[in-house]
C-alpha cells in the first residue's frame, strides 16, 4: 500500500509540473528562433569558378549560415542574421591596361515576411543595390504526416514530408513540435500544425539552435514604403537585365568591365 501511494503522489507532482510548463509555453505572445543552415553541393560544382577564388568561395558557401525567425502571431519574419559581401583578391597577374580587382562574393541575404491575416508572403531581394519585394500568396503544399518522432531542443517532434512539384526527387522533411502552438518555420512553409525545428532536403539542412519566448507582443518591422512590390515573373525579368555584362568609364577615364556569375546549389 505504501508503495502504491508513493507512486501516485509522484505521478501527481509530475502531472502538475507538465501542466504548468504547458500553460507557461501557451501563454507566451511572441517567439524568436535561431536557426543554422548547412548547404551541400554536387561533386564538381565549384570547378567552373576561377582558380584564384575557388577555395575561398567554397569555404564561404559551405560554412554554417545563421537565420532568425520572429513570430508575434500576426506576422512572422525569417531573415539572415548577418550577411556581408566577401572580397576575394585576384592572384592573376595584371595585363597591359587591365587591372583585375578580384571577385566580390555576394552571399544570399534572406528576408521573408508572412502576413497570416492576408495570407501573403513578401520576400525582399536585392539587385544592383536596389531592393524589391516579391509578393505571392501562401504556398499550398501537400504534406504527408508520419509516426516518426524525435527530441529536438528538449521538444518532442513529429515528422512530415512533401515532394516539391518542381523537384519531385527532392523530398523535404519537416520536424515540428505541437508543444509550441505556432504554425510557422523557415522560409515559405505554412500549414504544418506546429513549430518547425528542423527542415531537411537534398542539399540543405536548417535546424533550430535556440528558442526564446516573450510574454509581450514584439514589434516586427514591416514593409518599407519606398521599396517596389513586384511579382516573381517581373523580378526575373529585372534580374536577367541586370546580370548582363556591363562596362563604364570611371572618374579617371579608365574603362571598367563587370560580369555576374550566379551560383546555385
Amino acid at each position: 500500500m505504501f508503495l502504491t501511494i508513493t507512486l501516485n503522489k509522484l505521478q501527481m507532482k509530475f502531472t502538475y509540473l507538465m501542466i504548468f510548463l504547458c500553460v507557461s509555453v501557451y501563454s507566451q505572445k511572441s517567439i524568436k528562433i535561431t536557426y543554422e543552415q548547412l548547404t551541400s553541393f554536387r561533386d564538381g560544382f565549384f570547378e567552373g569558378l576561377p582558380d584564384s577564388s575557388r577555395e575561398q568561395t567554397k569555404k564561404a558557401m559551405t560554412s554554417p549560415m545563421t537565420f532568425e525567425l520572429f513570430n508575434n502571431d500576426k506576422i512572422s519574419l525569417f531573415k539572415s542574421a548577418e550577411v556581408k559581401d566577401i572580397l576575394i583578391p585576384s592572384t592573376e597577374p595584371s595585363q597591359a591596361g587591365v587591372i583585375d580587382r578580384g571577385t566580390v562574393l555576394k552571399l544570399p541575404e534572406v528576408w521573408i515576411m508572412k502576413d497570416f491575416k492576408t495570407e501573403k508572403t513578401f520576400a525582399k531581394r536585392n539587385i544592383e543595390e536596389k531592393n524589391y519585394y516579391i509578393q505571392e500568396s501562401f504556398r499550398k503544399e501537400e504534406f504527408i504526416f508520419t509516426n516518426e518522432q524525435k527530441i529536438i531542443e528538449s521538444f518532442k517532434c513529429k515528422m512530415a514530408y512533401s515532394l516539391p512539384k518542381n523537384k519531385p526527387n527532392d523530398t523535404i522533411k519537416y520536424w515540428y513540435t505541437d508543444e509550441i502552438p505556432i504554425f510557422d518555420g523557415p522560409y515559405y512553409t505554412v500549414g504544418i500544425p506546429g513549430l518547425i525545428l528542423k527542415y531537411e532536403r537534398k542539399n540543405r539542412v536548417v535546424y533550430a539552435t535556440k528558442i526564446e519566448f516573450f510574454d509581450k507582443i514584439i514589434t516586427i518591422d514591416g514593409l518599407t514604403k519606398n521599396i517596389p512590390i513586384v511579382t516573381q515573373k517581373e523580378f526575373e525579368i529585372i534580374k536577367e537585365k541586370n546580370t548582363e555584362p556591363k562596362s563604364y568609364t570611371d572618374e579617371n577615364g579608365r574603362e571598367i568591365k563587370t560580369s555576374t556569375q550566379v551560383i546555385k546549389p
Side-chain angles (χ1 to χ4, degrees):
M1 177 64 72
F2 175 77
L3 179 61
T4 303
I5 294 174
T6 303
L7 284 174
N8 285 340
K9 286 184 176 180
L10 286 174
Q11 185 178 14
M12 289 173 66
K13 289 181 179 179
F14 177 74
T15 303
Y16 290 151
L17 176 61
M18 288 299 295
I19 292 174
F20 174 76
L21 288 175
C22 290
V23 171
S24 178
V25 170
Y26 274 61
S27 66
Q28 307 304 315
K29 296 182 179 180
S30 301
I31 190 171
K32 173 187 174 183
I33 306 96
T34 303
Y35 295 92
E36 281 195 356
Q37 173 178 295
L38 289 174
T39 305
S40 59
F41 299 85
R42 63 182 183 276
D43 293 340
F45 175 82
F46 295 98
E47 296 304 315
L49 299 179
D51 294 342
S52 59
S53 60
R54 183 180 302 143
E55 288 305 313
Q56 286 178 277
T57 301
K58 182 177 180 179
K59 180 180 178 181
M61 295 186 68
T62 55
S63 297
M65 299 179 67
T66 303
F67 298 91
E68 297 169 335
L69 174 66
F70 301 86
N71 183 300
N72 64 12
D73 198 41
K74 295 181 180 179
I75 63 174
S76 75
L77 177 62
F78 180 74
K79 69 183 187 71
S80 305
E82 184 178 12
V83 176
K84 294 182 179 179
D85 292 347
I86 300 174
L87 175 61
I88 303 175
S90 174
T91 58
E92 300 293 328
S94 297
Q95 301 176 9
V98 178
I99 300 176
D100 189 342
R101 296 181 176 178
T103 301
V104 176
L105 179 61
K106 289 183 173 290
L107 295 174
E109 182 174 1
V110 175
W111 191 100
I112 301 172
M113 190 188 81
K114 301 170 190 167
D115 187 326
F116 294 101
K117 183 178 181 180
T118 63
E119 297 190 350
K120 298 286 185 182
T121 298
F122 299 87
K124 184 165 66 176
R125 300 283 298 276
N126 180 281
I127 296 180
E128 295 292 325
E129 307 304 324
K130 183 174 181 180
N131 288 319
Y132 299 86
Y133 289 126
I134 303 175
Q135 176 184 292
E136 62 178 277
S137 299
F138 278 2
R139 298 180 180 181
K140 299 186 183 300
E141 302 179 67
E142 295 182 3
F143 301 106
I144 295 92
F145 295 90
T146 74
N147 294 323
E148 291 188 50
Q149 297 185 5
K150 67 179 176 181
I151 302 297
I152 301 177
E153 291 293 310
S154 76
F155 292 96
K156 183 172 70 176
C157 293
K158 303 174 184 178
M159 195 270 281
Y161 68 91
S162 67
L163 301 173
K165 294 180 180 179
N166 59 335
K167 294 182 179 180
N169 295 325
D170 186 7
T171 302
I172 304 178
K173 295 181 179 180
Y174 310 87
W175 291 95
Y176 66 96
T177 178
D178 54 14
E179 294 176 357
I180 302 176
I182 293 176
F183 296 5
D184 204 358
Y187 293 100
Y188 297 90
T189 307
V190 292
I192 293 287
L195 179 64
I196 299 170
L197 298 185
K198 190 173 184 181
Y199 168 106
E200 301 175 84
R201 62 185 307 171
K202 192 174 183 179
N203 64 348
R204 184 191 307 161
V205 177
V206 185
Y207 50 92
T209 59
K210 186 178 182 181
I211 303 173
E212 301 172 72
F213 297 96
F214 303 90
D215 59 3
K216 62 179 181 180
I217 297 176
I218 59 175
T219 301
I220 298 176
D221 293 336
L223 303 181
T224 303
K225 291 183 178 180
N226 62 349
I227 296 179
I229 298 175
V230 297
T231 65
Q232 182 66 47
K233 185 177 181 179
E234 291 169 337
F235 181 78
E236 292 299 329
I237 294 173
I238 297 169
K239 183 171 68 173
E240 185 176 351
K241 289 181 179 179
N242 280 275
T243 53
E244 297 173 353
K246 298 179 180 64
S247 64
Y248 62 94
T249 303
D250 68 7
E251 63 275 10
N252 297 314
R254 293 176 298 187
E255 185 181 8
I256 307 297
K257 294 183 178 181
T258 64
S259 61
T260 301
Q261 183 175 2
V262 180
I263 302 175
K264 295 182 179 181

